[in-house]
Structure formats: C-alpha cells, structure tokens
Amino acid sequence: MKNRRKARCAGISDQVTPGTTTVVEGAPGTGKTAVLDDLADLWEASGRHVVRARGSALEGDLPFGIVAQLFDIDPGQSTDFAALHGVYRLATSLAGTSGLLIAVDDAHWADAASLRWLAYLTLRIQRLPIAVVLTVGERCDDPSYGEITASCHHVVLGPLSADDVAALISPAPAPEFVAACLDATGGNALAVTRLVEALEEDGVPPTAEAAWQVAQRGAEVSGAIVAARLRRRPAAVVATAQCLAVLGPSPRPGVLAELTGLSPAELAEAVRTVELLGGAGRAVVDDMPASARAALHLRAARALRTHGATDREVADHLLETSPGLEPWAGEVLDRAAQEAVNQGDTSGAARLLWRALREPVANPARALRMLGVAELVGGLPGATARLREAHQSDVDDAESAVALSYALHAEGEPAELVAVLAGGPPWAQAHLAVHGLAWQEAVPSAVPLDTPAGVLHHVLVGDIGAAEAVALVSTDGVLSSLASAMTLNLADSLDAALAVLDDVDRSQPPALRALTYVMRANVQRRKGDLVSARADLALADDQLRQDRRWHAVTTWHAALLADILLEEGRLDEADAVIAEASTEEARRVWPYGGLLTVRGRLLTARGDDHDALEAFLAAGRHCALWPYRNPAVLAWRSGAALACAATGDGERARELADEEVSLAWSWGAPRALGMALRAAGRVTAGTAGRTLLEEAVRLLRGSPARLELARALVDLGVVVRRQGDTSGARACLREALDLSQKCGSTAMAARAYSELVATGAGPRRMRQTGPTALTPTEHQVAELAARGRSNEEIASTLLLPAEAVEGVLAGACRKLGVSSRLHLPGGSDPFGR
C-alpha cells in the first residue's frame, strides 16, 4: 500500500510547489489523507516546515478552529482583518527562506473564519515560499472556499485500477480475484485495503477458485466503513441512512420523508451525503440497537401501509417486529403469503405464514392452510400433515379441503382425497373432475355444468356437444382458464385456447407452469405446428425437473414428445421416451392411455402390426377404467382399426372405426370426426372407402388440424391412384406434401413424397424456405407478434429476456420476407403451418 501511495503522491507533488494552492478532491476512502501524509513526508525530508490541520463536522462552528490547529493558537479569538493579517504574518515568518507546507485535510468541514484566512493567504501566496494543499471530500458552499478554488490546481482521486489493486495483493493474484475485489469495493482505496487485509486474515488465497468468497467479505468491509463514517455525522444524516437501509433501494419519497421527519431540502442534502459516504446497506441496520431497529421497521410498515404499498412490502417489515403490535398485521401477513405462493416464492410464503400464526389472527386454519400450500408447492416435507391439521381444525373450510386434496394427489392417494372433498360445496367437489383427469378413483359420479371443470368433465364423458361446451367456458381464475382451454382445444377452437393459455399468470408454481406449457404444446400439435409444440414442451420440461410428483402431467408431456418425435421420423428416440415414461406411477393415471396409443403408432411405423394392435387395445382397456368416451381426447380406436385391418381382421376393424365415427358425430368437432372418417375410409373397400376419405378431407379442411388434413390427403391420394385417377392422386399428394413440410412432419412428408413418385410424377425438391426456415423460438415470437402481443408480453409468455425479443423478431421477419411486425400474416394459421 505504501508504494502505491508514493506513486500517487509523485504525480501530485510536481504541482505542490511554493507559491501554489492545490485542492485534492475525492470521495471518502479514495486515499486523500494518505496522499497528504506522503506530501508532508516529502517536504519534511527536504528540510522544510509542515503544519497540518483536519476539519471535523463536530468543530465546524468553532471560529479559527483550523487556524488554531495549524499554528497552535487559541481558537475563538477575534477574526477581524487584523487577526487575519496577523496569522498571515505568522505563516510567512514560519516559512522563512526554507519554505512551508500548509496541509488541511477534510477542508469541506473547516469553519468559516479559517476558510476566510485560507482565502486571504492564497491571494498573497504567489511570491512566498509557502504551498497550500487542501483535501475535499464533500461539497462546500462557503464563499471563501469559492475564492480559494478560483485560482488553485485541482487533483481528482478516482477509484483504483486493476493494476493498483493487484499491487496490494501478495502473492500475485489471479485476474478473476482482482476483478472480484474491484466489484466488491468499486475500487475505493480504503475499502480495497481493508478487504485485502480481511481476506489475508481469513486465509483466502488470491486465486480464481477463491474469487467467489470475495463478494460477501467485501460487502461486510464496505458496510463497516460506511457505518463508522456515519457515527461521526449529524443526527439527520444518521437517521436518513438508517431509513434508507431499512426501506431498501428506491424508497417511496413520501414514506422516507415521513420516517425521517426532515424538510425536502434537508432530506435531499442528507440523502446526497449518505450516497457520498457509500450508501446505506445492511451494515447500517446491523449497527443499530435491536430495539431501535425493530421500532424503525414497525414505523416503516405503518407508513408503507398508509401510502398504499403492497401487502408484501408491508409484511417484509412486520417480519422484523414483535407480534401483536398492530391489529391488522395478521391479515396483511396472510395476504402477503398468498401473493408469495402465487409467485412461486414458497420459502418466503412459509416465513410469512409462520409469523402470521403468532398474530392474533381471526382464522388460524387459513394461515395453516396457506403454510401447507407453500410447503406443497415448494416440495417441502410435512405439507400434507400441515394441510390435514388445517382441515381438521375447521372441517367446514372448503379451501382447506381442496388444498389437502392436491397434497394427497401429489402423494398418489386418490381414495383419501375423494373422502376429503365429499360433502363439500359444489365448487369444491368440482375439483374431483380435475383429479379425475389423473386418478380413476377420483372421477365424480355426477358433476354440474356450472363450473369450467364440470363442463370439461361432461366433454370428456361425451354427453354434450362441442358447440354447447364452448358456450359454457369461463376464464375466472387459473383453474377455470386451464379447464376452459382444454375444452376449447377439444372443440377445435385452437386459437381461442392459445389466447386463454397466454393469459394464464406465468408466476404460478412449477407444476402449474408445466401444465400450461404442456397444454400449449398439445394445442400446437393439434394445429400441426410441431416446431412450436416442441418449444413449449422444452419449457415444460424445465418446470417438471423442479417437481416430478405430478405424474399425470409428466406422462402427458412424454406422450406428446414421443408423438412429435414419431412425426419427425426419429423412431428410436420416441421409443426411448416411451420406455422411460412407462413407470408404475404412470400406469395409474389417465394420460398413460395416450402413451400407449403413441406406442401403437410407433409399432405400426415399424411394421409390427400385431404388437401395434395389442398396444392400441391396451390403451382401450386402460381408458375403459374412466368414463371418458370422447374420441377428441384420445382416438385409440382409429389406430386399433388400422392395425386390425393390417392383420386381416377387417370386420373388427370396421366395428372399431364405426364406433369412433359414431362418438365423433355426437361430439361434433370436425377434427375428431375427420380423423374417425379417415380411419373408416382406410378399412372400407371400394367406392365407399373413397367416399369416406373424401368426406374426411372435406371436414378437415374446415378445421385448424393441418397435419391431420395432410394425413387424410395422403390416404385419399393412395386410393385415388389405385382406382386409376393419376391426376387426382397427384393433386392430393402434392397438397399433402406441402402441408407436411409446413407442419414439420418429416415422416408424413416422406410418405407423401414416396406416393407422389409412385404416380409417375418427377422428383420434386423439398421445401427449404419460408416458415420452415424459422427456428422454434423465431416461430413462437413471430406468431405472438402477429397476434398483437407486445415485446414485454412475448418475453413474459416465452420466458425470454425482454431485450432479446426484438432481435429474434427481426430475424423471423427477414426469413419471412416482411419488413416489420406490422406485415406479419394474421388469421388462425398465420404462417401456413
């Protein structure tokens, strides 16, 4: 450190010569005093005189206080012109012929009389063997100081450089260690010196591997320095620093003014001083007595509540106080905990709720329930026991019963969850319909149509039509939105389903976020947009890694992923996904039927028709445990019919296909009916089969199911070719090839291409431009932008940095050949996928 100080002094000493005045400026801790010390050493070493003084906030009102320190005279004497001149004569006498250095540290705190004398001296110093050096760390508004600075040299001390910091550390430090020290201290010389000393005492080596240990120690050192500086400051500055430390960065101006009790001008000056000292951090709060700290937090909670702060802001301060001080505290803590749960902050919610339980709350069962929910969402042990305790303490609390049912769902206890919800109000029993989507034991015997979950149940059972179901959807709350999105999806209102899912709050717990993304993927898959579906599944996978207890969602995710891999022609990867997902837990939940159906399609693609048939029939046996018959949910009969036909059992094939057609007619949505008619056409010979396929194509043209239309067109093209209509076959197959490529189905495109070549048509280059050139992220961003979403909304939906959206969108526009988002295609299928 001494060598570094000498180097800095050497750069300044050339300016400090007889007849000059130099002002050294710098923030606290930048080394002004150290430079002054070295200058004094240099002058004394050359045989010249040095007199020194230091300003102090506590002595700023003492007349001639600085002069008294310099020349060892009594302070408080007369400060008229005679006194000024007398001291001036004393200085010139002391300088003699050898020279005199007058060094004043922290001159911004000098009394007015001393500053007047320094100004008097500097006006007459040019021909004297006297040099004046002042250090200044803060603003000084005294007029005499202005006269001094008008004709002086200025030197500004800034933060240390990386080389300066490295020179203080031994042995030679790694660059990463030096960078960490700079980040922790801002290059403040005092803070760096103290930090290096502290790290040496702690035995922390200056290596790249140890750089992570610097940040916390640096915060402690910097905080201790700031706290020490504050102790020497006026009460107004100390109070402001404490309030800033308690309120945190960017406090509400009204709250800060109320807590400090200062006028606007006084508060502005105090805040400026605190910032100059290094800011108000945790060390300032820790430096307060415990009782004073708790009292300030309570005052902050009251003021924030008065000024309209959120419950969470108020509650964070209540956590630092004793219970029972405010009658509204329990209510605020409770609401703040709910907010924390909704945002996925389970540990914060648990802390708030533990504290709420110590307040005289009107409903302790609610606090227990919320604590259990926070533990459930966070995967913490004891959640079920906590929720059971809440339920038992108030058996009439339907919300506790619902919360406990989901804990039992996560633990795989469907029988008990049914007992918990039995006897509750209709809205609580409607949750059985949600549980029934996973567990056969939880399927309710009767569900009214007055909730979206109830509507979805009737949709799955198949006793209402698509038009009636769509008219009953509602998006009042997350559960209602998700249930309604499922209904809209099954009813072929795919864009409406996506719009509902886009509006679902993304700050939900991981399991709900995962479900939302899986549902989005399912909608995109039904549209035939495999690229977007894959992207949504990747987002869902990120959430599922955080919580693997929700087996129905995990199994559904696996079934969709395997299905998309199958469309991409990646059979081995699809097989691996199915094998990994086929766990004992998965075999108990409804979506396992979808996994079996995809396995049947995989075996069909490999030519294993007998095993494929067994897989489809296994899916049917699994689904028979539930009352769900709507083929729009799971069309296992179509796959089984095709497998039966391939194995030679045409009669059984037609029975299965006709059954699915009948069920699809009852539902009334074109996608399910088109798929059923396609299967029926495949297993029906002659003109009747062609007619069914033509009807399937007609219906699917009126649906958003692009990939299913491509599949039906391929089958129709094959039949038409075999009947001798080569021209008609080529038209069907070319359209199917184009649709398959747009959808991203490599397998379907390959089949369409092969059948097209079989008609005698020349080879056709596969599509390489347009929407298919978009990456998954580009396609999602462009689609949302085409639907009028702002960059911020797109970033929130796709979990992208807000600043990255514009760049991704620009790349998508270039590939699509449009100049801006305003020219992106609209409609239900904006990119022709």
Side-chain angles (χ1 to χ4, degrees):
M1 179 65 180
K2 187 172 182 180
N3 290 336
R4 189 196 64 78
R5 283 167 40 190
K6 293 293 185 185
R8 273 203 172 186
C9 175
I12 299 172
S13 62
D14 293 340
Q15 300 182 35
V16 181
T17 58
T20 63
T21 300
T22 304
V23 174
V24 180
E25 299 177 352
T30 51
K32 301 184 300 297
T33 301
V35 170
L36 207 60
D37 290 340
D38 289 337
L39 285 171
D41 290 345
L42 286 173
W43 274 65
E44 289 177 338
S46 64
R48 292 176 285 185
H49 295 293
V50 176
V51 292
R52 297 190 59 169
R54 183 173 187 177
S56 169
L58 302 178
E59 300 176 358
D61 295 329
L62 183 63
F64 263 15
I66 293 297
V67 171
Q69 291 184 52
L70 290 171
F71 300 108
D72 195 20
I73 62 176
D74 293 331
Q77 62 177 321
S78 172
T79 60
D80 56 15
F81 178 79
L84 294 178
H85 191 69
V87 178
Y88 165 74
R89 294 293 300 273
L90 177 61
T92 57
S93 175
L94 185 60
T97 58
S98 60
L100 173 66
L101 174 66
I102 298 176
V104 180
D105 202 4
D106 290 338
H108 51 275
W109 279 331
D111 60 280
S114 294
L115 284 173
R116 194 178 324 123
W117 179 80
L118 288 168
Y120 182 88
L121 175 64
T122 57
L123 291 174
R124 295 160 176 80
I125 201 175
Q126 288 83 358
R127 297 181 181 180
L128 297 176
I130 299 176
V132 176
V133 180
L134 311 178
T135 69
V136 178
E138 298 183 20
R139 188 176 68 189
C140 182
D141 296 325
D142 191 287
S144 298
Y145 179 73
E147 293 183 21
I148 296 171
T149 58
S151 58
C152 71
H153 299 302
H154 283 273
V155 176
V156 178
L157 297 183
L160 301 183
S161 67
D163 290 340
D164 292 332
V165 174
L168 300 176
I169 304 172
S170 180
E176 295 85 354
F177 192 87
V178 173
C181 291
L182 278 171
D183 288 340
T185 62
N188 183 277
L190 178 60
V192 170
T193 303
R194 297 271 182 89
L195 174 59
V196 170
E197 291 172 351
L199 292 172
E200 288 177 352
E201 291 174 1
D202 294 344
V204 178
T207 61
E209 293 74 18
W212 65 272
Q213 302 182 57
V214 174
Q216 181 177 354
R217 202 69 169 98
E220 294 172 357
V221 167
S222 297
I225 293 172
V226 173
R229 290 173 183 154
L230 280 172
R231 297 189 196 108
R232 303 192 299 269
R233 293 292 176 151
V237 175
V238 175
T240 301
Q242 292 171 342
C243 292
L244 286 169
V246 164
L247 293 174
S250 303
R252 295 169 184 258
V255 174
L256 182 60
E258 181 177 331
L259 291 186
T260 60
L262 299 175
S263 68
E266 291 171 331
L267 181 57
E269 180 63 23
V271 169
R272 189 192 66 79
T273 302
V274 172
E275 291 174 348
L276 183 66
L277 293 175
R282 184 68 207 177
V284 175
V285 178
D286 293 340
D287 201 44
M288 299 173 64
S291 58
R293 182 166 60 245
L296 182 54
H297 276 292
L298 181 59
R299 290 174 55 216
R302 290 168 177 164
L304 285 166
R305 186 168 180 262
T306 301
H307 286 78
T310 65
D311 290 322
R312 184 64 187 273
E313 289 178 276
V314 177
D316 284 341
H317 290 282
L318 291 175
L319 290 173
E320 306 298 330
T321 67
S322 300
L325 297 177
E326 290 290 353
W328 44 263
E331 182 181 344
V332 169
L333 288 161
D334 189 75
R335 290 197 302 265
Q338 176 69 67
E339 180 184 341
V341 170
N342 291 342
Q343 294 175 347
D345 181 8
T346 55
S347 60
R351 187 174 177 224
L352 289 163
L353 288 162
W354 276 117
R355 177 65 167 73
L357 288 171
R358 299 172 60 197
E359 293 285 344
V361 292
N363 187 1
R366 173 176 166 78
L368 277 171
R369 168 169 54 81
M370 290 302 304
L371 179 57
V373 168
E375 293 172 334
L376 173 64
V377 170
L380 303 175
T384 304
R386 192 93 55 215
L387 289 169
R388 188 176 282 115
E389 181 183 356
H391 179 56
Q392 291 172 350
S393 66
D394 186 357
V395 294
D396 295 327
D397 182 8
E399 292 188 5
S400 292
V402 169
L404 176 57
S405 75
Y406 282 96
L408 295 167
H409 182 125
E411 291 190 356
E413 299 292 343
E416 186 179 353
L417 75 83
V418 172
V420 167
L421 291 176
W427 70 264
Q429 293 190 39
H431 283 266
L432 283 173
V434 178
H435 295 304
L437 292 171
W439 309 103
Q440 181 269 331
E441 298 93 329
V443 176
S445 56
V447 185
L449 285 168
D450 56 357
T451 65
V455 173
L456 179 60
H457 173 80
H458 286 275
V459 167
L460 297 172
V461 170
D463 56 11
I464 64 172
E468 180 184 359
V470 169
L472 294 172
V473 299
S474 166
T475 57
D476 184 19
V478 174
L479 179 63
S480 295
S481 295
L482 294 178
S484 295
M486 286 187 184
T487 298
L488 291 167
N489 182 27
L490 296 174
D492 291 351
S493 298
L494 303 186
D495 287 329
L498 284 176
V500 171
L501 293 171
D502 286 345
D503 289 336
V504 172
D505 186 1
R506 289 303 195 278
S507 64
Q508 299 295 327
L512 272 177
R513 290 202 296 273
L515 176 59
T516 302
Y517 286 123
V518 168
M519 290 176 61
R520 275 186 56 88
N522 190 34
V523 177
Q524 301 286 19
R525 164 64 180 84
R526 285 172 177 262
K527 289 183 71 174
D529 187 352
L530 302 185
V531 174
S532 294
R534 278 293 298 273
D536 280 318
L537 288 177
L539 293 172
D541 192 46
D542 292 339
Q543 303 300 321
L544 287 172
R545 286 196 187 98
Q546 302 178 45
D547 194 343
R548 291 287 187 183
R549 296 171 298 170
W550 308 92
H551 302 298
V553 180
T554 302
T555 306
W556 191 7
H557 176 278
L560 284 170
L561 179 57
D563 178 77
I564 292 171
L565 290 169
L566 188 60
E567 292 292 347
E568 294 173 348
R570 298 156 68 177
L571 274 59
D572 290 342
E573 292 178 54
D575 196 5
V577 169
I578 294 170
E580 183 180 357
S582 298
T583 63
E584 288 302 317
E585 293 84 358
R587 296 174 195 277
R588 297 178 59 198
V589 297
W590 160 259
Y592 183 64
L595 201 65
L596 288 170
T597 301
V598 177
R599 183 170 186 273
R601 292 185 56 223
L602 170 66
L603 292 167
T604 297
R606 285 177 168 171
D608 298 335
D609 295 318
H610 289 282
D611 290 342
L613 175 60
E614 179 52 36
F616 285 121
L617 294 177
R621 290 191 296 271
H622 178 81
C623 294
L625 300 175
W626 281 261
Y628 307 147
R629 298 291 180 267
N630 190 336
V633 184
L634 188 63
W636 65 269
R637 296 175 186 83
S638 295
L642 296 177
C644 279
T647 58
D649 191 349
E651 182 177 354
R652 176 61 175 149
R654 286 186 290 275
E655 289 176 359
L656 288 165
D658 290 345
E659 181 182 3
E660 184 152 304
V661 169
S662 176
L663 292 169
W665 272 116
S666 297
W667 172 235
R671 177 181 181 275
L673 184 54
M675 291 173 62
L677 287 170
R678 169 186 164 266
R682 283 278 304 272
V683 301
T684 302
T687 303
R690 174 174 177 170
T691 300
L692 288 170
L693 287 170
E694 289 173 339
E695 179 64 9
V697 168
R698 186 188 69 80
L699 286 169
L700 288 169
R701 286 193 191 281
S703 82
R706 302 292 87 191
L707 186 55
E708 300 310 324
L709 172 59
R711 213 181 308 278
L713 282 167
V714 171
D715 290 338
L716 178 59
V718 171
V719 170
V720 169
R721 176 176 62 80
R722 289 173 180 171
Q723 293 180 353
D725 185 357
T726 302
S727 176
R730 288 174 179 169
C732 289
L733 292 169
R734 282 177 176 146
E735 183 180 1
L737 175 60
D738 189 58
L739 282 172
S740 300
Q741 291 176 335
K742 290 178 179 178
C743 291
S745 177
T746 305
M748 182 56 58
R751 182 173 176 235
Y753 185 77
S754 174
E755 294 292 347
L756 183 61
V757 172
T759 66
R764 181 180 179 182
R765 187 172 62 87
M766 303 285 273
R767 178 184 294 269
Q768 298 294 331
T769 60
T772 56
L774 298 179
T775 67
T777 300
E778 287 173 339
H779 184 274
Q780 286 186 303
V781 169
E783 184 180 22
L784 290 171
R787 287 156 55 189
R789 301 282 175 168
S790 68
N791 285 0
E792 291 73 18
E793 291 171 326
I794 294 172
S796 175
T797 299
L798 301 180
L799 298 182
L800 290 172
E803 61 273 10
V805 172
E806 189 61 37
V808 174
L809 184 58
C813 288
R814 284 194 300 272
K815 293 179 181 180
L816 293 170
V818 298
S819 58
S820 72
R821 67 194 303 149
L822 298 177
H823 299 93
L824 290 169
S828 61
D829 190 18
F831 303 112
R833 286 184 177 268

